[in-house]
Amino acid sequence: MDWLLVALQGLVVVGFIALGVRSGGIGLGLWGGVGTLILVFVFGLDPGEPPTSAMLIIIAVISAAAAMQAAGGVDYMVQVASQALRARPKALNFIAPYVSYLLTILTGTSNTFFSIIPVINEVAYANKIRPERALAGSTVANALGITSSPVAAAMATLLPLVEIYDYDLIDVLLITIPASLVGIFAMALVMSRHGTDLEEDEEYKRRVAAGEVQPPAAAADIVLLPYAKRSVAIFLAGVAAICVFGFVEGIRPTVAAEGGGVEPMSVTPLIQMFMLTAAALILVFCHVRAGDIPGTAIFKSGMVAMIALFGIAWMADTFIANNEDAIVQLLGDMAEKWPFMIAVAIFLVAALTTSQSAATRTMVPLGLALGIGAGYMIAMWTAVVGVLFLPANGTQIAAAEADTTGTTSLGKRVVDHSFQLPLQIAWIVTALVGIAIVWIFFGGHTPAPPAPTPTP
Amino acid sequence: MQGRLTWVAIVAGVVLLVLVTAAIGNRDDGGETVSAGKWAQSVCGAVGVWRGELEAIVEDVRTPSSVAPGVEEPQSETPQGRTGLVRSGLERAIQATETMVEGVDNAGVPDTAAGTEAADQISSWANGSLNDLDQAEDSLDEEADTLEEAVEQLGSALGAIGSVMANGVQAIADVAITDPELADALRDSSTCRQLREEAGEA
């Protein structure tokens, strides 16, 4: 393996992400496309896969959310949330991350989060809360939900590895859920004080002065459209249906399995179907004209996010698909040499492969082989949230695009994005609390060796 | 100032996590003599984790990627994973077996009369499995002259995974026969019990 070549390719990826985040908007996707072209034509790499599923989910979710906005539903949600948060508006910084975390637990995928990004943004803005605080925290909490979800792909990868040590699904959840709850709280606490207040933010003031964004209307001044409540009910019913079908595998429609027989349909097409249906129902029952939907703010920011994700994720996948083995080998060697770095190695593998499942299947067995207790490995496994280290994930891009105030940013130097601070707080606190839980409740190391029994 | 303090706290957190992980310690007993119970626990643990990985690999090869749970994260799959399922399965099996060899080596030598032989026996089986899988992967590199040969190559490659998987539990059972002192430890260890149950289920 020519490490110089891998490093050069890595520099191309980082360089074009940097160019993209400086351009902002769809510039991110366009520069990602240029980066892909250079990786393929100059370095001769096989092109990776564009993130088709995520892009289609964004289209479906944005259609539903934009239809709801056209029907006045977003205004209604903002009004209700503002009334609920009247005494303590800043509670949004805590509630939003926990709601996003719960959505991932129920569906096993972070893609459901796309549906509440516009709502979190609007509620924060209407309450004059710096949207970055709630949006960045929620994005991280949402990714953390993967290690707490019984129906997530990464959990399915982990369980066969730790079952031999008598850790079943319940044991794993007893470690990851409380640890994540504490981690999210610590993150939300810091984020609720992070950055200047919205009205003092320079970028926001510039945008208001330039007329790029309107100051938030007071919740009391919002005039509701006639079918606003109905559109919210339809939208939330769609989200609830996704959660129910995501959590209860047995009620999903079945599809033909390759090895014969049938198996439950994956959650991804279900999200797309339910969200498109919700959008259609809003059109019919809330008297929204289809032509009004593309004019909504949610639709515009969602489409920009989709193009941005297209280019950036395609470039990242092209690099990763061709170099994943080398990355895993390098970090695996590091963990073998210094086993105390295993949690950091898991985080870095997740960051550089942008895959929680890949980090799980490569690093957890290694940690166990190095003799680290299975319970501790489960606690440190939560470090797979490191997938958010680089700003190349759909949820990060969508959150940044949704925030028209400009406080949620993808950074200027690739790693200085809005999600970095909550990410670092969340994974470190979660891993430490998880380790403490294992130490206290699971008796420390792997199950004790059996007491010698006399041979007759 | 507040921001800088937060980042200092984060760096301190990473250092604390590394220190805590170091304090938890790993269990590298490679070359050292350990109790029969501890050895049995470690070896069965390593073999059990390896079996879990191989099961996942076999499942991935059987299941088309469009409905496999792994594609829930859109950016995570590689073209190799989509097109060269058998080859990538073998590569992953080799990686898993290398990790298992490491785990077996780290288990040390049991403090029984025939402990050294037992440790050698298991280590030899583990390394043999690695060689078998390496050979299976090499055989895929040879260009097949006919379609029949190509299909046979694929069959042999998949057969190699199945064969080393079946031999794992047998290798441990053989050790129990050759070293009666270890038999009790292998019977009582929770990981060995779990391994027997899983192998029985399979």
Side-chain angles (χ1 to χ4, degrees), chain A residues 49 153 161 164-166 258 263 266 317 321 336 340 355-357 365 369-370 376 392 421 445 447 453 455, chain B residues 6 18 24 26-27 41 49 53 62 64 67 69 72-73 75-77 79-80 82 99 102 106 184 188 191 194:
Chain A
E49 288 286 317
L161 306 177
I164 194 77
Y165 294 102
D166 279 343
E258 183 78 355
E263 62 189 1
S266 133
D317 191 67
E336 273 181 44
F340 52 85
S355 167
Q356 289 158 326
S357 295
L370 291 169
Y376 293 126
L421 176 65
H445 280 266
T453 47
T455 311
Chain B
T6 309
V18 169
I24 291 165
N26 58 312
R27 205 185 50 237
Q41 187 76 4
V49 170
E53 289 183 271
R62 283 183 60 236
V67 292
E72 290 298 304
E73 298 151 70
Q75 290 112 290
S76 66
E77 295 301 307
Q80 290 93 334
R82 295 186 184 98
T99 307
E102 173 120 15
N106 282 350
D184 291 333
D188 296 339
T191 53
Q194 187 81 19

Side-chain angles (χ1 to χ4, degrees), chain A residues 250-276:
Chain A
I251 60 171
R252 288 187 216 161
T254 51
V255 292
E258 183 78 355
V262 292
E263 62 189 1
M265 182 184 275
S266 133
V267 178
T268 299
L270 283 175
I271 296 174
Q272 294 159 1
M273 283 185 256
F274 277 116
M275 284 289 101
L276 287 175

Side-chain angles (χ1 to χ4, degrees), chain A residues 127-404:
Chain A
N127 287 281
K128 297 178 184 170
I129 295 168
R130 186 182 174 87
E132 179 192 29
R133 293 173 179 167
L135 278 174
S138 301
T139 307
V140 173
N142 165 257
L144 202 54
I146 290 287
T147 52
S148 300
S149 172
V151 288
M155 182 67 83
T157 310
L158 175 84
L159 284 176
L161 306 177
V162 295
E163 274 169 354
I164 194 77
Y165 294 102
D166 279 343
Y167 282 90
D168 58 16
L169 176 64
I170 301 296
D171 295 322
V172 174
L173 296 180
L174 283 173
I175 296 166
T176 57
I177 290 181
S180 301
L181 290 175
V182 177
I184 291 170
F185 183 82
M187 174 195 73
L189 194 65
V190 174
M191 287 307 288
S192 66
R193 293 164 170 76
H194 171 67
T196 57
D197 285 339
L198 180 62
E199 286 167 324
E200 291 159 21
D201 185 83
E202 291 303 323
E203 174 61 17
Y204 171 64
K205 285 197 282 192
R206 186 196 66 75
R207 290 188 183 199
V208 171
E212 293 173 20
V213 57
Q214 298 302 314
D221 297 342
I222 295 173
V223 180
L224 288 183
L225 294 175
Y227 298 103
K229 290 180 187 176
R230 193 180 290 179
S231 70
V232 171
I234 294 171
F235 182 81
L236 291 182
V239 175
I242 292 167
C243 291
V244 171
F245 280 93
F247 198 71
V248 189
E249 214 177 56
I251 60 171
R252 288 187 216 161
T254 51
V255 292
E258 183 78 355
V262 292
E263 62 189 1
M265 182 184 275
S266 133
V267 178
T268 299
L270 283 175
I271 296 174
Q272 294 159 1
M273 283 185 256
F274 277 116
M275 284 289 101
L276 287 175
T277 304
L281 292 177
I282 290 171
L283 284 188
V284 173
F285 293 107
C286 304
H287 305 280
V288 172
R289 288 187 305 154
D292 291 343
I293 295 177
T296 61
I298 287 179
F299 188 87
K300 286 173 188 164
S301 66
M303 289 304 118
V304 169
M306 190 188 69
I307 296 168
L309 175 67
F310 175 27
I312 281 298
W314 195 12
M315 175 176 67
D317 191 67
T318 300
F319 172 72
I320 290 161
N322 287 275
N323 296 303
E324 184 177 308
D325 290 347
I327 293 166
V328 169
Q329 181 73 42
L330 177 74
L331 292 165
D333 289 349
M334 179 186 88
E336 273 181 44
K337 203 169 175 186
W338 302 302
F340 52 85
M341 293 292 283
I342 189 78
V344 177
I346 294 172
F347 181 88
L348 290 176
V349 170
L352 297 177
T353 64
T354 66
S355 167
Q356 289 158 326
S357 295
T360 304
R361 72 165 185 256
T362 55
M363 300 312 286
V364 172
L366 182 64
L368 293 169
L370 291 169
I372 296 168
Y376 293 126
M377 280 311 302
I378 294 166
M380 289 187 272
W381 169 62
T382 54
V384 295
V385 72
V387 288
L388 298 181
F389 184 72
L390 297 175
N393 275 271
T395 52
Q396 290 167 296
I397 294 169
E401 284 306 322
D403 179 4
T404 49

Side-chain angles (χ1 to χ4, degrees), chain A residues 47-139:
Chain A
E49 288 286 317
T52 320
S53 295
M55 289 164 63
L56 295 180
I57 285 174
I58 291 178
I59 290 174
V61 168
I62 290 304
S63 300
M68 179 173 68
Q69 187 173 42
V74 174
D75 287 341
Y76 175 64
M77 283 177 113
V78 168
Q79 208 174 55
V80 170
S82 300
Q83 281 167 3
L85 295 169
R86 194 166 41 210
R88 287 177 178 275
K90 285 187 175 177
L92 177 71
N93 298 322
F94 293 85
I95 293 168
Y98 282 118
V99 171
S100 346
Y101 173 69
L102 182 65
L103 271 182
T104 307
I105 290 180
L106 292 177
T107 59
T109 168
S110 52
N111 289 328
T112 333
F113 178 57
F114 287 116
S115 63
I116 61 165
I117 289 174
V119 178
I120 294 172
N121 176 57
E122 294 291 334
V123 172
Y125 189 48
N127 287 281
K128 297 178 184 170
I129 295 168
R130 186 182 174 87
E132 179 192 29
R133 293 173 179 167
L135 278 174
S138 301
T139 307

Side-chain angles (χ1 to χ4, degrees), chain B residues 22-151:
Chain B
I24 291 165
N26 58 312
R27 205 185 50 237
D28 182 0
D29 295 316
E32 290 176 22
T33 303
V34 298
S35 71
K38 191 176 178 187
W39 183 83
Q41 187 76 4
S42 302
V43 167
C44 289
V47 175
V49 170
W50 171 75
R51 270 184 67 90
E53 289 183 271
L54 290 193
E55 276 171 18
I57 291 164
V58 170
E59 188 61 28
D60 282 356
V61 172
R62 283 183 60 236
T63 315
S65 59
S66 60
V67 292
V71 294
E72 290 298 304
E73 298 151 70
Q75 290 112 290
S76 66
E77 295 301 307
T78 65
Q80 290 93 334
R82 295 186 184 98
T83 55
L85 282 175
V86 176
R87 171 170 290 283
S88 83
L90 267 171
E91 284 169 358
R92 280 173 58 196
I94 290 169
Q95 193 181 28
T97 310
E98 281 171 352
T99 307
M100 187 263 291
V101 169
E102 173 120 15
V104 166
D105 288 346
N106 282 350
V109 178
D111 61 352
T112 57
T116 310
E117 289 77 11
D120 286 347
Q121 203 174 327
I122 289 290
S123 182
S124 155
W125 160 77
N127 282 300
S129 300
L130 195 53
N131 287 338
D132 290 347
L133 292 174
D134 271 332
Q135 278 174 14
E137 193 190 21
D138 290 346
S139 73
L140 282 182
D141 290 335
E142 293 162 15
E143 199 170 326
D145 291 330
T146 62
L147 178 63
E148 286 75 11
E149 266 183 42
V151 172

